[in-house]
Amino acid sequence: MWTQLFPALTALAGTVIGGLVTLSAASKQAKASREVARQQFENQLVLAQHQLAAQLEAERGKQRRVKIDEAYGQLMLWMHDVRTLVDNIWVAIFSDDAAFVEETHKALIEWPFETLRPPREFAPAQFYWSDDVNELLIKFGGRSAEFVMNAKASLVHKIPSEGHSFELDSEAIDIANGKVVAGHDALVCIVSRIRDVVKREMRDGKTC
């Protein structure tokens, strides 16, 4: 009997063992597939996170660029007004227009309180001005002090409201005017340098 059953048992055992081997292989394949899927998911998640971070950084960069553009636009408006006033002072020392001279003299009186101070609405923009720009603005302020002093001396004899009874001789006037002209040229040069720095930084995308 056992002799007759042996082939069948052998076949059954072979089938069971084969099935177990097949199941084991399938299980390993499934596990490997799950591991591959998990790894792919993690890689995709990391990639998505990096892409999101890059997009956020790019958006922040765009917003900062807009603010910098606005800040330097405001700076250029202010420099335009300052340059115009410096030119007016230079013109006034040679002008016979009493009203124009008096208006210019008033601007000189207000210089440290008005002209040298950026408009109040420009205050937030100053945070975006570079160190190079701020250094030139400080230099402009220092150089303008001598310019204003000389311009006042040059114009004072032309201002009736000042009540001066003396007249400067032509040589003294020429000396005073010469100092104003030199100061004007120096200030215009600084304004031009500020513009050049701003153009370079806007082109290269560099600020402080």
Side-chain angles (χ1 to χ4, degrees), residues 65-157:
R65 187 74 259 167
V66 169
K67 291 183 180 295
I68 290 173
D69 290 347
E70 292 175 350
Y72 276 140
Q74 291 174 326
L75 174 62
M76 289 297 93
L77 285 174
W78 179 40
M79 286 294 97
H80 171 77
D81 292 342
V82 169
R83 167 66 191 272
T84 299
L85 182 53
V86 169
D87 287 342
N88 286 346
I89 294 170
W90 173 72
V91 171
I93 65 174
F94 301 107
S95 175
D96 294 325
D97 185 335
F100 176 67
V101 169
E102 188 158 4
E103 180 182 354
T104 303
H105 185 260
K106 181 181 178 181
L108 289 170
I109 300 299
E110 296 175 345
W111 185 276
F113 312 105
E114 297 292 338
T115 306
L116 280 185
R117 292 186 178 182
R120 187 173 181 273
E121 60 270 23
F122 289 3
Q126 296 179 57
F127 291 103
Y128 295 95
W129 298 347
S130 71
D131 291 341
D132 289 342
V133 167
N134 284 313
E135 183 178 342
L136 286 170
L137 289 173
I138 292 172
K139 185 175 182 180
F140 180 91
R143 187 65 180 83
S144 72
E146 182 181 356
F147 171 73
V148 169
M149 180 183 67
N150 291 326
K152 286 180 180 179
S154 182
L155 291 179
V156 68
H157 70 285

Side-chain angles (χ1 to χ4, degrees), residues 174-192:
D174 288 343
I175 292 174
N177 289 351
K179 290 181 178 179
V180 173
V181 171
H184 165 272
D185 293 345
L187 293 180
V188 168
C189 181
I190 296 174
V191 171
S192 295

